[in-house]
Amino acid sequence: MTTSSQTQLRAVEVVQSARFSWRMPPKRKRGERSAKLNTEQEEPAAKPATKEPLTDDSPEDAAKETSLRSRKKPAAKSSGKETDKSKAAPGDKVLHSYWLMKSEPESRIENGVDVKFGIEDLKAQPEQTGCWDGVRNYQARNFMRDMKVGQLAFFYHSNCKEPGIAGLMKIVRDAYVDHTQFDKNDVHYDRSSKEDNPKWFMVDVQFVRMMERFIPLAELKKYHHEHKSKGGPLKHMALFTRARLSVQPLTKDEFDFVLSLEDKKPV
């Protein structure tokens, strides 16, 4: 082989070697590649970290952040109120221990029947005990179903010349089915009520005593207006806020205040 041919052959080998080294880059170790991939996958998640320097915000931005937090606080208070309301649900409702129950002491004929029943009539009953039948208002009925044996109630004379509180009685039997709703001859008969699904209930009450003095509605009304303007136990008394109910709950403060009127001169 001539010298020129050897020189050309070496040149070709050099070129081929260069091409081969370009086509075949050095292999990376698996660990290096996986580390690279992990870094590339984590980079997008790391970008939100740019929000980190909140302390670099301007005073205006800080004020906005404080404002947003303060706006969230009322929502928490609102949820608290909703929780409080859930406490008034039937399972957790406020239970009353004192009552005011209305009845008519003067004769009034309805469907040929005298519906009169005053405190003197209760006293005349055997053992001074009688059933409080004839209630046909759902809320009043529900109040009677809440009553417990031993609780006290004012006997209130209504629909008469001088309405007011005549005496005290006590509950001696928990609520049970009012039989008059099924009696076609009774003034309180209710054809829509069925014996297998009764609508109306009653309790038994027993006379305790007469009031030391009769407490008229007019006097109670004066105290109610006074307590509404200046504060006092009769401010929200059901006798004036739910006047049409024949059975009404009383708070202990209302009950005690009315009892205290026995020792005071009429106003």
Side-chain angles (χ1 to χ4, degrees):
M1 184 180 289
T2 63
T3 304
S4 61
S5 298
Q6 291 177 346
T7 302
Q8 291 177 353
L9 180 60
R10 287 177 185 172
V12 170
E13 289 177 350
V14 170
V15 172
Q16 289 177 346
S17 175
R19 286 178 180 175
F20 182 80
S21 64
W22 176 79
R23 290 177 183 174
M24 298 293 293
K27 292 183 179 179
R28 290 181 184 143
K29 293 181 181 179
R30 183 175 297 179
E32 290 176 351
R33 180 166 178 79
S34 63
K36 173 67 174 175
L37 289 174
N38 288 340
T39 303
E40 291 174 350
Q41 290 171 356
E42 288 172 2
E43 280 179 357
K47 287 182 180 178
T50 55
K51 295 182 180 179
E52 201 171 343
L54 292 174
T55 54
D56 294 337
D57 288 349
S58 66
E60 292 180 358
D61 291 334
K64 288 178 182 178
E65 181 70 18
T66 303
S67 176
L68 287 172
R69 286 176 188 157
S70 65
R71 288 177 193 173
K72 291 178 182 179
K73 289 180 181 178
K77 290 180 181 178
S78 175
S79 64
K81 288 180 180 179
E82 288 176 2
T83 302
D84 291 340
K85 287 180 181 179
S86 71
K87 291 181 180 179
D92 298 316
K93 64 185 175 183
V94 176
L95 298 178
H96 300 279
S97 299
Y98 302 93
W99 309 93
L100 182 147
M101 303 171 75
K102 300 179 180 180
S103 190
E104 300 182 31
E106 299 176 358
S107 291
R108 182 174 67 84
I109 306 300
E110 186 175 338
N111 296 335
V113 178
D114 192 348
V115 296
K116 169 184 177 296
F117 189 81
I119 195 167
E120 295 294 343
D121 297 299
L122 178 60
K123 284 176 63 177
Q125 295 290 314
E127 299 182 2
Q128 298 183 320
T129 301
C131 59
W132 204 267
D133 60 12
V135 172
R136 296 297 181 264
N137 174 280
Y138 286 107
Q139 191 171 12
R141 176 206 65 182
N142 291 344
F143 282 139
M144 285 203 297
R145 293 200 294 197
D146 291 340
M147 293 177 178
K148 302 300 179 185
V149 171
Q151 293 180 344
L152 295 174
F154 286 124
F155 195 121
Y156 183 92
H157 283 172
S158 67
N159 197 22
C160 55
K161 293 178 182 178
E162 188 176 27
I165 297 174
L168 274 172
M169 56 187 178
K170 65 180 178 181
I171 312 303
V172 294
R173 182 178 177 182
D174 292 343
Y176 61 104
V177 176
D178 182 348
H179 61 277
T180 63
Q181 63 193 302
F182 309 122
D183 185 355
K184 294 182 179 180
N185 297 319
D186 194 278
V187 67
H188 300 120
Y189 170 67
D190 184 353
R191 68 176 63 189
S192 66
S193 185
K194 308 302 179 183
E195 292 192 22
D196 59 348
N197 187 26
K199 293 167 60 176
W200 309 111
F201 294 80
M202 61 185 179
V203 296
D204 286 353
V205 297
Q206 185 177 48
F207 174 83
V208 174
R209 67 175 178 86
M210 302 293 291
M211 299 293 284
E212 294 294 331
R213 69 177 181 89
F214 184 82
I215 311 296
L217 172 63
E219 181 177 346
L220 293 170
K221 194 170 186 178
K222 289 179 182 178
Y223 282 112
H224 169 65
H225 287 306
E226 179 183 328
H227 293 181
K228 276 182 67 178
S229 58
K230 299 180 181 179
L234 300 193
K235 181 179 180 179
H236 301 296
M237 191 177 185
L239 184 61
F240 305 103
T241 60
R242 290 180 279 186
R244 294 183 65 84
L245 283 177
S246 62
V247 177
Q248 303 173 354
L250 294 173
T251 66
K252 187 177 187 306
D253 288 344
E254 290 169 344
F255 183 83
D256 289 343
F257 181 84
V258 173
L259 276 184
S260 73
L261 297 179
E262 290 182 306
D263 302 323
K264 297 179 180 179
K265 292 182 179 181
V267 295

